[in-house]
Amino acid sequence: MGHLKRIHDVLIVGAGLAGMRAAVAVAPGLDVAIVSKVHPVRSHSVAAQGGINAALGENDSWEKHASDTTKGGLWLGDQDAIEAMCREAPDDIHALERMGVIFSRDEQGRIAQRPFGGAGFPRTCYAADRTGHALLHAMYEQLLKRQVYVYEEWYVTSLLVEDGGCRGVIAWDLLKGGLHAIKAKAVILATGGCSRIYLTSTNAVINTGDGMSMAYRAGAPLMDMEFIQFHPTTLKDTGILITEGARGEGGYLLNTLGERFMKKYAPEQMELATRSTVSLAIGTEIAEGRGVDGCVLLDLRHLGRARILERLPQIRQLALDFAGVDPIESPIPVQPGAHYVMGGIKTNTWGETALAGLYAAGECACVSIHGANRLGGNSLLETIVFGRRAGLRASQYVATASPPLGDAGALQREEARIARLLKNEGRERAWQVREELGKALALHLGLARTKDRMTGALAAVRALKARAARVRLDDRGQVFNTDLITALELGSLVELAETVVAGALAREESRGAHYRADFPKRDDANWLKHTLCYYTASGPRLAYTPVTITRFPPA
Ligand SMILES: Cc1cc2nc3c(=O)[nH]c(=O)nc-3n(C[C@H](O)[C@H](O)[C@H](O)COP(=O)(O)OP(=O)(O)OC[C@H]3O[C@@H](n4cnc5c(N)ncnc54)[C@H](O)[C@@H]3O)c2cc1C
């Protein structure tokens, strides 16, 4: 009955793959609960298309996987974390299979694997082009089986911190209204990414980085926030993802001259070079006038009808529904779009953050696996490996942790904050500030960054942050007040946008997703280090920390 008393051993914020995997890993006998602002299976993990990596092949090895991941991330990933992930991946994939995930098969009946960008081997396991759907639903069944209590449609506004440790959260009950303290001996944040700081993005509208923002405000540093991945192929105008699996299956990229232009940029890897390379190549083609209506073309026609229908059914449907194009007959217009944040809450390889009792896993965390550029298929893997690890470590921690006490006045402070927000007068509307923020970042913090543009971005973000504090709500009620949630989410977005721009302005080199037109070279002598970002009332304070290098020296 822990949920009625709102007190648990382990409380997990977020019911995507990382959160649910963590819940399933918590030791039997402990009281574990999950809070999620949407129904669990509506978490963004459900939208993952292409697949999840693991070195299962006879001629593949976890060392090769680790080497590709390190190289793909331009040596900014911590190699102890990369090793742990790649070594444990095969067992985790088999565990997922036993939990009921239906992976696509090869002719011999083994789990099929497709080639993905930056990988020297076909090691991406998949369920057609709906891998996230298959994984998330299987994980939800496990949650039901274990009778994990879910606070469904509760929005966490902040962390409860007592005696220097995290002892629960403050959350708003969306259905009924009202703020409550939910106490716990340990909290795991699994709140996903924040690519919605950009106006068009492949991400769900709920991906506003709330967990990163609340950890940051509570004193845990964020790491490497300047590294935002642009996916090379999103559908014209909408930003809907067209999986890398489409190129993995053999799709070509063409410019207006009908050239496979990747031969100029990456003659060996061609369309399967890393995402930052392909995105920059597409950006250059478009900027130099060889685009097609602001896009380039992704041609799948030569794969043939049968293969498209078997391997890429969702991609075909998305292209039909949202661009009016049937990939069996015509190429798909695509352009790069904001997709993934490599940065996040700094953790060690067990999900521990700087705050005792606070853990983080999945896209909201920065372990760091992806370094300056994430390889496709490694993020789903990260949610599974490090979700499990965080669940295990939190279980050990609560065995000796003392029970949470009061709420140290935090509930009253948050109540006062929400009450002020509900009463605010003024002209600003949350959706409008959010739209302007998304446009400002798209304009000033796109594929190619410069000092001038980013200085402009910082000024814009600071002005928008001030406006965000003055928004007026049209709905001032208690029941299902989505207007209130939009305003709270906007608070996360402006806070995080500021950390992204601050980190990017300071980093005077180009590495992976962070391409500076004014500093086009990688500079290991000065910049082979992680950016740390600490909250202060006047804005982010930056510091730096070394990268962990074990077996792969930078080349
Ligand atoms: C379209 C798309 C396709 C992708 N395809 C692939 C792929 O093929 N392979 C791959 O490796 N990666 C892929 N990725 C990336 C990968 O899917 C994500 O990084 C990963 O699924 C994130 O999982 P998560 O568990 O960390 O977070 P999410 O699945 O985003 O879940 C976040 C959870 O946190 C909850 N939450 C957030 N804020 C609050 C709050 N304030 N209060 C309460 N609850 C909150 C949400 O309700 C949700 O349950 C893709 C991403 C996108 C957008």
Side-chain angles (χ1 to χ4, degrees), residues 11-14 18-19 156 159 169 187-192 210-212 214-216 345 353 358-362 364-365 390:
L11 183 68
I12 298 166
V13 187
V156 175
L159 299 174
V169 304
V187 172
I188 303 176
L189 291 174
T191 45
D210 306 334
M212 294 179 191
M214 63 185 90
Y216 174 62
I345 307 158
T353 69
L358 183 68
Y359 300 77
C364 73

Short mmCIF file of all heavy atoms in Angstrom, two decimals, residues 11-14 18-19 156 159 169 187-192 210-212 214-216 345 353 358-362 364-365 390:
data_model
loop_
_atom_site.label_atom_id
_atom_site.label_comp_id
_atom_site.label_asym_id
_atom_site.label_seq_id
_atom_site.Cartn_x
_atom_site.Cartn_y
_atom_site.Cartn_z
N LEU A 11 11.91 5.10 -6.04
CA LEU A 11 10.94 5.79 -6.90
C LEU A 11 11.62 6.13 -8.22
O LEU A 11 12.72 6.70 -8.22
CB LEU A 11 10.46 7.08 -6.22
CG LEU A 11 9.39 7.83 -7.01
CD1 LEU A 11 8.08 7.05 -7.05
CD2 LEU A 11 9.15 9.21 -6.40
N ILE A 12 10.97 5.77 -9.31
CA ILE A 12 11.55 6.02 -10.63
C ILE A 12 10.71 7.08 -11.34
O ILE A 12 9.48 6.97 -11.36
CB ILE A 12 11.60 4.71 -11.45
CG1 ILE A 12 12.49 3.69 -10.73
CG2 ILE A 12 12.10 4.97 -12.87
CD1 ILE A 12 12.37 2.29 -11.23
N VAL A 13 11.36 8.08 -11.87
CA VAL A 13 10.63 9.11 -12.62
C VAL A 13 10.85 8.83 -14.10
O VAL A 13 11.97 8.95 -14.60
CB VAL A 13 11.12 10.53 -12.28
CG1 VAL A 13 10.22 11.56 -12.96
CG2 VAL A 13 11.13 10.75 -10.77
N GLY A 14 9.77 8.44 -14.79
CA GLY A 14 9.88 8.13 -16.22
C GLY A 14 9.59 6.66 -16.47
O GLY A 14 10.16 5.78 -15.83
N ALA A 18 14.25 3.10 -20.15
CA ALA A 18 15.21 3.15 -19.04
C ALA A 18 14.48 3.00 -17.71
O ALA A 18 14.92 2.23 -16.84
CB ALA A 18 16.00 4.46 -19.09
N GLY A 19 13.37 3.71 -17.55
CA GLY A 19 12.64 3.67 -16.28
C GLY A 19 12.06 2.28 -16.01
O GLY A 19 12.17 1.74 -14.91
N VAL A 156 6.19 15.43 -12.33
CA VAL A 156 7.14 15.77 -11.26
C VAL A 156 7.69 17.17 -11.52
O VAL A 156 8.17 17.47 -12.61
CB VAL A 156 8.28 14.74 -11.21
CG1 VAL A 156 9.33 15.15 -10.17
CG2 VAL A 156 7.72 13.36 -10.87
N LEU A 159 12.78 17.86 -7.16
CA LEU A 159 13.29 16.80 -6.29
C LEU A 159 13.21 17.25 -4.84
O LEU A 159 13.36 18.44 -4.53
CB LEU A 159 14.75 16.50 -6.63
CG LEU A 159 15.01 16.00 -8.05
CD1 LEU A 159 16.51 15.86 -8.29
CD2 LEU A 159 14.31 14.66 -8.28
N VAL A 169 10.25 13.16 -4.49
CA VAL A 169 9.93 14.21 -5.47
C VAL A 169 8.66 14.94 -5.04
O VAL A 169 7.90 14.45 -4.21
CB VAL A 169 9.69 13.61 -6.88
CG1 VAL A 169 10.88 12.79 -7.35
CG2 VAL A 169 8.41 12.78 -6.94
N VAL A 187 15.89 7.78 -5.65
CA VAL A 187 15.12 8.21 -6.83
C VAL A 187 15.97 7.97 -8.08
O VAL A 187 17.16 8.29 -8.10
CB VAL A 187 14.78 9.72 -6.74
CG1 VAL A 187 14.15 10.22 -8.03
CG2 VAL A 187 13.83 9.98 -5.56
N ILE A 188 15.36 7.36 -9.09
CA ILE A 188 16.05 7.18 -10.38
C ILE A 188 15.36 8.05 -11.42
O ILE A 188 14.16 7.89 -11.67
CB ILE A 188 16.01 5.70 -10.84
CG1 ILE A 188 16.63 4.79 -9.77
CG2 ILE A 188 16.73 5.54 -12.18
CD1 ILE A 188 16.54 3.30 -10.10
N LEU A 189 16.10 8.97 -12.00
CA LEU A 189 15.53 9.79 -13.08
C LEU A 189 15.71 9.07 -14.41
O LEU A 189 16.81 8.63 -14.74
CB LEU A 189 16.23 11.16 -13.13
CG LEU A 189 15.95 12.09 -11.95
CD1 LEU A 189 16.82 13.35 -12.04
CD2 LEU A 189 14.48 12.47 -11.89
N ALA A 190 14.62 8.93 -15.13
CA ALA A 190 14.66 8.27 -16.45
C ALA A 190 13.70 9.03 -17.36
O ALA A 190 12.80 8.46 -17.97
CB ALA A 190 14.26 6.80 -16.33
N THR A 191 13.90 10.35 -17.40
CA THR A 191 12.93 11.25 -18.01
C THR A 191 13.18 11.57 -19.47
O THR A 191 12.49 12.41 -20.03
CB THR A 191 12.90 12.57 -17.21
OG1 THR A 191 14.26 12.95 -16.97
CG2 THR A 191 12.20 12.41 -15.88
N GLY A 192 14.16 10.92 -20.10
CA GLY A 192 14.36 11.10 -21.54
C GLY A 192 15.04 12.40 -21.91
O GLY A 192 15.57 13.13 -21.06
N ASP A 210 12.66 17.58 -18.47
CA ASP A 210 12.30 17.97 -17.09
C ASP A 210 13.28 17.40 -16.05
O ASP A 210 13.65 18.08 -15.10
CB ASP A 210 10.89 17.50 -16.72
CG ASP A 210 9.84 17.97 -17.72
OD1 ASP A 210 10.07 19.01 -18.38
OD2 ASP A 210 8.80 17.30 -17.84
N GLY A 211 13.65 16.14 -16.22
CA GLY A 211 14.52 15.49 -15.23
C GLY A 211 15.90 16.14 -15.19
O GLY A 211 16.48 16.34 -14.12
N MET A 212 16.44 16.46 -16.37
CA MET A 212 17.74 17.15 -16.41
C MET A 212 17.64 18.46 -15.67
O MET A 212 18.51 18.83 -14.89
CB MET A 212 18.13 17.45 -17.87
CG MET A 212 18.40 16.23 -18.72
SD MET A 212 18.82 16.81 -20.39
CE MET A 212 18.76 15.27 -21.27
N MET A 214 15.49 19.38 -13.32
CA MET A 214 15.31 19.32 -11.85
C MET A 214 16.58 18.84 -11.14
O MET A 214 16.88 19.30 -10.04
CB MET A 214 14.06 18.52 -11.46
CG MET A 214 14.03 17.08 -11.82
SD MET A 214 12.42 16.31 -11.41
CE MET A 214 11.49 16.54 -12.92
N ALA A 215 17.36 17.97 -11.78
CA ALA A 215 18.63 17.53 -11.19
C ALA A 215 19.60 18.71 -11.14
O ALA A 215 20.28 18.95 -10.14
CB ALA A 215 19.22 16.38 -12.00
N TYR A 216 19.64 19.45 -12.23
CA TYR A 216 20.50 20.63 -12.35
C TYR A 216 20.17 21.65 -11.26
O TYR A 216 21.03 22.13 -10.54
CB TYR A 216 20.28 21.19 -13.76
CG TYR A 216 20.93 22.48 -14.15
CD1 TYR A 216 22.31 22.63 -14.17
CD2 TYR A 216 20.13 23.56 -14.57
CE1 TYR A 216 22.88 23.82 -14.59
CE2 TYR A 216 20.71 24.74 -15.01
CZ TYR A 216 22.08 24.87 -15.01
OH TYR A 216 22.65 26.05 -15.43
N ILE A 345 22.52 14.44 -17.33
CA ILE A 345 22.94 14.45 -15.93
C ILE A 345 24.18 13.56 -15.80
O ILE A 345 24.13 12.38 -16.18
CB ILE A 345 21.81 13.90 -15.02
CG1 ILE A 345 20.51 14.65 -15.27
CG2 ILE A 345 22.23 13.95 -13.56
CD1 ILE A 345 19.26 13.89 -14.85
N THR A 353 24.62 9.81 -9.45
CA THR A 353 24.87 11.22 -9.76
C THR A 353 25.68 11.83 -8.61
O THR A 353 26.03 11.14 -7.67
CB THR A 353 23.56 12.01 -9.90
OG1 THR A 353 22.96 12.11 -8.60
CG2 THR A 353 22.59 11.32 -10.85
N LEU A 358 20.39 9.84 -5.60
CA LEU A 358 19.82 10.20 -6.91
C LEU A 358 20.59 9.50 -8.02
O LEU A 358 21.82 9.61 -8.10
CB LEU A 358 19.87 11.71 -7.13
CG LEU A 358 19.23 12.15 -8.46
CD1 LEU A 358 17.72 11.93 -8.46
CD2 LEU A 358 19.52 13.62 -8.78
N TYR A 359 19.84 8.80 -8.86
CA TYR A 359 20.40 8.04 -9.98
C TYR A 359 19.79 8.56 -11.26
O TYR A 359 18.71 9.17 -11.25
CB TYR A 359 20.07 6.54 -9.81
CG TYR A 359 20.64 5.99 -8.53
CD1 TYR A 359 20.01 6.24 -7.31
CD2 TYR A 359 21.83 5.28 -8.52
CE1 TYR A 359 20.56 5.78 -6.12
CE2 TYR A 359 22.39 4.82 -7.34
CZ TYR A 359 21.74 5.07 -6.14
OH TYR A 359 22.30 4.64 -4.97
N ALA A 360 20.44 8.32 -12.39
CA ALA A 360 19.85 8.70 -13.67
C ALA A 360 20.26 7.68 -14.72
O ALA A 360 21.37 7.12 -14.65
CB ALA A 360 20.31 10.10 -14.09
N ALA A 361 19.36 7.40 -15.66
CA ALA A 361 19.65 6.44 -16.72
C ALA A 361 18.85 6.80 -17.96
O ALA A 361 17.81 7.44 -17.88
CB ALA A 361 19.30 5.03 -16.27
N GLY A 362 19.35 6.34 -19.12
CA GLY A 362 18.66 6.61 -20.39
C GLY A 362 19.10 7.95 -20.95
O GLY A 362 20.17 8.47 -20.61
N CYS A 364 18.27 10.95 -20.42
CA CYS A 364 18.46 12.11 -19.52
C CYS A 364 19.84 12.08 -18.87
O CYS A 364 20.29 13.07 -18.31
CB CYS A 364 17.37 12.18 -18.46
SG CYS A 364 17.49 10.93 -17.17
N ALA A 365 20.52 10.93 -18.92
CA ALA A 365 21.82 10.79 -18.25
C ALA A 365 22.96 10.97 -19.25
O ALA A 365 22.79 10.84 -20.45
CB ALA A 365 21.92 9.41 -17.61
N ALA A 390 21.26 0.92 -12.89
CA ALA A 390 20.78 1.90 -11.89
C ALA A 390 19.81 1.23 -10.92
O ALA A 390 19.85 1.49 -9.70
CB ALA A 390 20.12 3.09 -12.59
#
